[in-house]
Amino acid sequence: MNRLFLKVSLLPVLFILLNGCGSNQANYRRDKPVSYRSGLPQSQPYRADSNNAPASYSGIFPKPAALEPAVDFWRKTYAVWQRSEVAYHDDRFLDVVYEVMPLPGYVAEGLTAEQKLAMNSRRDFWKSRLAELDSKLRYNAALNANDRQLIAKLESSGRPLNSILHGAGDRVRAQRGTRERFKRGLEISGKYNLQFRKIFRDAGLPEELAYLPHVESSFQPAARSSAGAVGMWQFTKAAAQTFMPDKNRVDQRLDPFASANGAANYLSYAYRKLGDWPAALTSYNHGIGGMKRAQDRMGRDFARIVEQYDGPAFGFASRNYYAQFLAAREIASNPEPYFREGILYETPIHPGQYLAAE
């Protein structure tokens, strides 16, 4: 579970669960760690053997107009930009994309030293360009054609130039495209989609939560994060002990179906504590306690939380987690317009077949 990877301490379970379950691997953010979800309320812990049965969910997955630029950015990341392309953009205003640059040479999942150098050099270029433009405007210096072109790009977002240019150089971020990875995830999802949807349906939750592994792991069953999150659903060991306990003390995180049940347990609990799906899903990255603090401070307006909340570890990954889910959901539910070459879905399996294969 994403997108500041904090180390999970080996304290008793209730305290360990003040950190989250996993890590998001789908957006190639290798330069910055991803935050863990922070906090099960200690006064009301989740107990797998108690009366924590989920009630049927209410509401839908709203998409506030303020989130559409972020959702569109992640649609492009998942289904338009290839892994050989890097988008340089503002990390707060995701509709401000300075350029999409092709990387040199053949580009595999991992980058060569030359490609990393090219990627970082271009990011430094945009940082310098924005700082230079800010300085020119501040001191009424003469502008050239490139300056005016950059101003037009910034103003096209509809925001006042002064508000968006201030600090823009520090907000430049590089995002590799993941089209090939997302498409492969769609193909793999054919093996699990029906069973995952049934798991969430039986738990009284929206079936579309079955799309969450597109954000977490691109449906890679053996995915591992640098912080110890494991499996398709990216559970930490501590979270797995709480949300999918096993009397035989077997680590079930590599079992996609056991992990899906664990995710249903977690999301049901998070929804009851937080009251809406934007907050509950974001807690998969930032933690129930973290999102509760955000609500206590900013209110229940999720768009306001995303735009204004500056709590500890609520960084790029947390701000964007729900928008990523919305984008993945839109693409996965109707992939044809994005992948006109077609998707070769793998044959569905059920839990017994998976365990037998293992």
Side-chain angles (χ1 to χ4, degrees), residues 286-307:
H286 189 63
I288 296 172
M291 289 310 299
K292 187 66 171 64
R293 287 189 292 274
Q295 290 180 333
D296 290 344
R297 179 172 163 186
M298 308 300 296
R300 294 285 296 277
D301 184 336
F302 185 74
R304 182 172 180 242
I305 292 174
V306 169
E307 291 175 352

Side-chain angles (χ1 to χ4, degrees), residues 75-124:
R75 279 195 297 259
K76 291 174 181 175
T77 299
Y78 290 149
V80 177
W81 298 329
Q82 301 179 50
R83 69 187 180 194
S84 60
E85 297 175 306
V86 180
Y88 295 91
H89 66 97
D90 190 299
D91 73 3
R92 295 293 302 203
F93 309 112
L94 271 66
D95 51 343
V96 178
V97 177
Y98 300 110
E99 75 169 328
V100 179
M101 182 191 79
L103 291 167
Y106 172 76
V107 182
E109 280 282 328
L111 296 180
T112 65
E114 178 189 5
Q115 290 163 346
K116 290 178 182 178
L117 178 61
M119 182 173 163
N120 293 334
S121 295
R122 196 60 179 175
R123 182 171 53 207
D124 291 341

Side-chain angles (χ1 to χ4, degrees), residues 147-257:
D147 294 330
R148 288 188 286 272
Q149 187 177 38
L150 182 51
I151 289 172
K153 183 182 291 291
L154 294 169
E155 290 182 330
S156 68
S157 70
R159 303 176 185 89
L161 179 60
N162 288 341
S163 68
I164 193 170
L165 184 56
H166 178 68
D170 296 326
R171 299 194 305 269
V172 176
R173 181 178 177 275
Q175 172 65 53
R176 280 183 71 191
T178 64
R179 189 179 192 276
E180 297 90 343
R181 183 180 177 91
F182 196 93
K183 181 183 177 184
R184 180 59 185 144
L186 284 171
E187 294 171 344
I188 299 171
S189 73
K191 296 172 66 174
Y192 307 102
N193 184 55
L194 292 177
Q195 285 293 327
F196 283 178
R197 295 177 80 92
K198 182 179 185 301
I199 286 169
F200 287 106
R201 185 171 64 248
D202 289 349
L205 300 171
E207 293 183 23
E208 290 164 296
L209 292 171
Y211 296 135
L212 196 56
H214 284 297
V215 180
E216 286 295 316
S217 65
S218 295
F219 278 84
Q220 299 295 318
R224 294 176 182 271
S225 80
S226 60
V230 170
M232 188 179 293
W233 293 88
Q234 287 290 277
F235 271 89
T236 62
K237 188 173 183 179
Q241 289 172 345
T242 296
F243 292 104
M244 48 177 174
D246 186 271
K247 294 180 180 179
N248 296 320
R249 299 185 181 276
V250 175
D251 189 344
Q252 302 181 87
R253 293 177 294 168
L254 291 172
D255 182 335
F257 299 103

